[in-house]
Amino acid sequence: MSSSASVQQVKEIETQAMEELDATVGVEDLDRWRIAYLGRNGHLTQVLRGLGSLDPEDRRVVGAEANRAKVDLEARMEAHQRDLRNSAISEQLSQKSIDVTMPGWPAPQGRLHPITQTIRDITGVFRSMGFGVEEGPEVEWERYNFDMLNIPKDHPSRDMWDTLWVDYMDQDGTRPMLLRTHTSPMQARIMEATDPPVRVIVPGKAFRYEATDATHEWHFQQVEGLAVDEGITFSDLKGTLFEFARQVFGEERRVRFRCDFFPFVEPGVDMSIDCFKCDGEGCRICGKSGWIEILGAGMVHPAVLEGVGYDSKKYSGFAFGMGVERICMLLHGIDDIRLFYNNDLRFLRQF
Ligand code: FA5
């Protein structure tokens, strides 16, 4: 074999291999081609094997040419393989065509619970009147929930709040911790920690050992309010609560104040709104009275002021505590408080 003839032979193998490679259309086709030209007994491999029988000069020239052709063919094969894969994907995509104009799946979106929305509405109104917002513990000491609010141990007024006691014993065998029965303990906590003037509201949960019905839950939300300064009078209390009722319920809702007793205020009142269901006629919701009580209030008792170290001759103040669920019921015409906590999405999705 002369060197030019062998180089010629390599070129012919290469040309033929290129033509056949372009004609391969599938993975199996391509594999057959690789075996035929680059495989262990392939055409080009045989040329390389035969180099040993050539004289040194031919071996160098033909060997270099055959190796170049091998590298070129391998590169061409890889490129062809990529082309085949890409056109297979395009083919698949064109068969399963995607309609980009179709509407997508809606992303599920949560929303605030109606009670959370109502708390935000209430705090918004009081913020606009210059009140700050504080929060406090739900598991509370008896001292703050009762004693510091002028409700001593064994006093009958403790019966106003059926209490859930926490199973924690003091050294003397008493249980001094409870689930707070109202947000009022925060009055004492705030005054203990701050000097007057105080103007704050406290949203939070309260718990009572109570049977449930259309307007009573054993756990519910309250918003406490407290304002203490020099010269605060009962008309400040009335003005503030009237303005709150006007902003939350609108001008047309009627408001009623009645005397009430709470040991930590003197005088004490409760405030009611005319019933949303019967417009004051009397129905099941309002217990046939035409009114729904939403809050208790009054002037902070001098004993409470003195108990936190305030001078009750210099300072006076008012406090109130409202039930958030009752307000939400009035706002939306909801006739059973238990609906808020049943986790029934058909109810909750309406807000
Ligand atoms: C109190 O809890 C006093 N701490 C309120 C207060 C604060 C008076 C500051 C004076 C000064 P009362 O128990 O009435 O008061 O509850 C206040 C409001 O919480 C009620 O008007 C009512 O709207 C709501 N509430 C009371 N019990 C329940 C209950 N079981 N379920 C739902 N809401 C309730």
Side-chain angles (χ1 to χ4, degrees):
M1 187 196 284
S2 77
S3 76
S4 60
S6 286
V7 167
Q8 181 64 27
Q9 198 185 357
V10 170
K11 288 217 160 97
E12 279 168 14
I13 292 171
E14 192 181 4
T15 311
Q16 199 183 346
M18 297 285 197
E19 277 169 18
E20 284 183 27
L21 181 65
D22 286 343
T24 58
V25 288
V27 180
E28 284 171 19
D29 236 8
L30 191 67
D31 210 39
R32 264 197 298 276
W33 176 90
R34 186 186 59 75
I35 292 165
Y37 288 97
L38 303 171
R40 217 157 0 122
N41 295 314
H43 301 311
L44 207 55
T45 319
Q46 276 177 3
V47 173
L48 286 164
R49 274 215 199 109
L51 290 176
S53 60
L54 297 180
D55 59 58
E57 179 52 19
D58 286 348
R59 194 184 305 147
R60 194 183 58 75
V61 177
V62 178
E65 186 61 11
N67 274 323
R68 184 207 49 78
K70 183 166 181 268
V71 171
D72 279 1
L73 283 177
E74 278 169 352
R76 286 284 286 258
M77 181 185 77
E78 274 167 28
H80 193 67
Q81 208 165 20
R82 260 196 311 277
D83 289 348
L84 284 180
R85 216 177 291 133
N86 287 345
S87 55
I89 291 170
S90 317
E91 171 84 9
Q92 266 183 2
L93 283 178
S94 70
Q95 276 168 10
K96 292 190 210 147
S97 65
I98 298 166
D99 182 353
V100 291
T101 63
M102 289 271 284
W105 294 104
Q109 209 178 7
R111 67 193 81 192
L112 295 176
H113 191 280
I115 294 302
T116 310
Q117 291 180 31
T118 310
I119 290 173
R120 294 195 178 183
D121 290 348
I122 296 169
T123 50
V125 169
F126 284 105
R127 269 186 208 277
S128 75
M129 290 194 254
F131 283 75
V133 181
E134 297 252 4
E135 286 185 316
E138 291 174 2
V139 181
E140 184 56 281
W141 297 105
E142 174 188 22
R143 199 163 86 82
Y144 287 106
N145 197 85
F146 290 128
D147 303 65
M148 293 190 72
L149 294 174
N150 198 27
I151 316 172
K153 272 194 186 52
D154 304 323
H155 193 278
S157 65
R158 281 206 181 187
D159 296 344
M160 287 170 74
W161 294 278
D162 296 301
T163 308
L164 288 154
W165 293 91
V166 172
D167 204 5
Y168 162 75
M169 287 280 190
D170 230 351
Q171 278 153 345
D172 62 3
T174 55
R175 289 203 166 82
M177 287 201 104
L178 44 79
L179 298 186
R180 67 178 175 195
T181 57
H182 48 180
T183 42
S184 299
M186 281 302 287
Q187 289 185 31
R189 281 184 178 271
I190 290 165
M191 287 192 280
E192 233 181 18
T194 351
D195 287 331
V198 173
R199 197 156 36 163
V200 73
I201 55 162
V202 185
K205 237 175 168 187
F207 307 83
R208 291 188 194 173
Y209 186 56
E210 240 177 65
T212 61
D213 62 25
T215 51
H216 291 82
E217 257 294 357
W218 68 270
H219 63 102
F220 54 96
Q221 302 274 346
Q222 287 190 333
V223 175
E224 191 79 12
L226 176 70
V228 183
D229 201 353
E230 288 181 52
I232 291 198
T233 67
F234 196 84
S235 33
D236 295 312
L237 164 62
K238 261 186 126 174
T240 306
L241 291 178
F242 266 131
E243 179 57 18
F244 153 75
R246 201 184 61 77
Q247 285 202 35
V248 171
F249 298 107
E251 308 274 356
E252 70 284 359
R253 276 258 97 87
R254 286 179 299 147
V255 172
R256 182 186 74 178
F257 281 99
R258 280 192 318 184
C259 286
D260 202 351
F261 170 71
F262 299 97
F264 35 94
V265 288
E266 182 57 38
V269 290
D270 68 45
M271 184 172 115
S272 303
I273 307 277
D274 62 331
C275 178
F276 62 88
K277 194 78 174 176
C278 61
D279 274 330
E281 292 288 309
C283 68
R284 183 179 73 90
I285 307 298
C286 58
K288 305 222 182 315
S289 71
W291 298 95
I292 295 181
E293 182 202 309
I294 57 162
L295 62 86
M299 299 305 289
V300 182
H301 198 291
V304 175
L305 295 174
E306 295 291 337
V308 295
Y310 283 10
D311 179 352
S312 66
K313 298 217 170 40
K314 187 171 177 198
Y315 296 110
S316 56
F318 65 77
F320 56 84
M322 61 181 75
V324 178
E325 286 80 0
R326 302 254 180 102
I327 290 170
C328 189
M329 289 168 80
L330 281 162
L331 284 172
H332 298 289
I334 295 160
D335 61 8
D336 199 317
I337 193 171
R338 291 164 291 197
L339 286 165
F340 290 122
Y341 302 114
N342 284 347
N343 265 343
D344 186 341
L345 292 181
R346 289 169 307 175
F347 170 73
L348 294 173
R349 282 203 180 104
Q350 298 175 66
F351 300 94

